[in-house]
Amino acid sequence: MALSRRRLVYERANGRCEYCQSPALRDILPFQLDHIRSRKHGGPTKLSNLALSCLACNTFKGSDIAAIDPETDTLQPLFDPRRDVWNVHFRWDGPILVGNTAIGRATAALLRINLPTRVDYRRSLMRARLF
Ligand SMILES: [Zn+2]
């Protein structure tokens, strides 16, 4: 059961982190099933509350469900891969993830998607045409 749930989440996400879009096949660490609304806040372990996440995004997200938008200094809900459309909230500027919205900026900041090591990793994937 756990295996099939994992497969369903993986396939629904096309094998990419639903936050930073990193390809799971290229990562040295296994991707995780993120509880979009964390268990700490009553989030169920159901397909509708799960997202495929790389280890970095899942670790920085932790059990948080909201974060501060660095531009407006306001509390925002985190990007919800089941409810929100990625391209509405985010865009790429080369290997840098840009938040289009307060939700996008708050999520990118909390999940530290633009840490220099992560940007370098994406740049190398882009050079190899894998991202
Ligand atoms: Zn990620």
Side-chain angles (χ1 to χ4, degrees), residues 17-22 31 53-58 113 118:
C17 174
E18 297 192 64
Y19 297 101
C20 75
Q21 296 192 329
S22 288
F31 277 26
S53 177
C54 70
L55 183 64
C57 283
N58 201 31
I113 293 174
R118 300 183 74 185

Side-chain angles (χ1 to χ4, degrees), residues 46-108:
K46 291 170 33 180
L47 283 174
S48 60
N49 189 47
L50 295 173
L52 188 67
S53 177
C54 70
L55 183 64
C57 283
N58 201 31
T59 300
F60 289 123
K61 182 171 176 276
S63 63
D64 291 352
I65 55 174
I68 300 294
D69 167 23
E71 197 169 301
T72 60
D73 200 34
T74 56
L75 186 65
Q76 298 292 327
L78 295 179
F79 173 73
D80 179 337
R82 299 283 70 78
R83 184 193 65 204
D84 300 326
V85 177
W86 196 93
N87 290 321
V88 170
H89 294 282
F90 305 104
R91 69 179 186 277
W92 292 110
D93 179 4
I96 305 289
L97 187 69
V98 179
N100 292 329
T101 62
I103 287 172
R105 290 187 299 268
T107 302

